[in-house]
Amino acid sequence: MIKRISIILVLLMVSGAAFSNVKISAKHKDLTKDAKKVNCAYCHTNVMKIEKKKGQVNGKALNGVNFSKIKSCAGTDCHK
C-alpha cells in the first residue's frame, strides 16, 4: 500500500513539474544564455534567483523592472 502511494506521489510530482508552466517553457525552448540552457532552473536557482510566485511578470517587466534592464534577460535570443 505504501509503495503504491509513493509511486502515485512521484508520478504527480513529475507531471506537475512537466506541465507547471507550459507557456513560459515554450517561449524559452532551445534558448541559451552564456552557454547555459534557459529553463526553469536558470531563472529560479543560482543564476537569477527569482522566487517561484505568481504575478511577478507584467507585460515586459519582472517585478516592475523591464526585461531589457535585467542583465540575464537582455541580449541575444532574450527579451530586448
Side-chain angles (χ1 to χ4, degrees), residues 1-49:
M1 181 69 175
I2 291 177
K3 187 175 181 180
R4 286 183 183 172
I5 291 173
S6 298
I7 291 171
I8 290 172
L9 287 175
V10 168
L11 289 174
L12 285 173
M13 287 189 299
V14 169
S15 64
F19 299 107
S20 63
N21 207 329
V22 177
K23 231 184 230 187
I24 291 175
S25 296
K27 287 181 183 179
H28 294 92
K29 183 180 180 195
D30 300 327
L31 295 181
T32 60
K33 175 81 168 128
D34 302 327
K36 295 179 184 176
K37 185 173 173 141
V38 177
N39 55 20
C40 298
Y42 180 86
C43 294
H44 294 293
T45 57
N46 58 357
V47 178
M48 290 188 62
K49 298 179 184 163

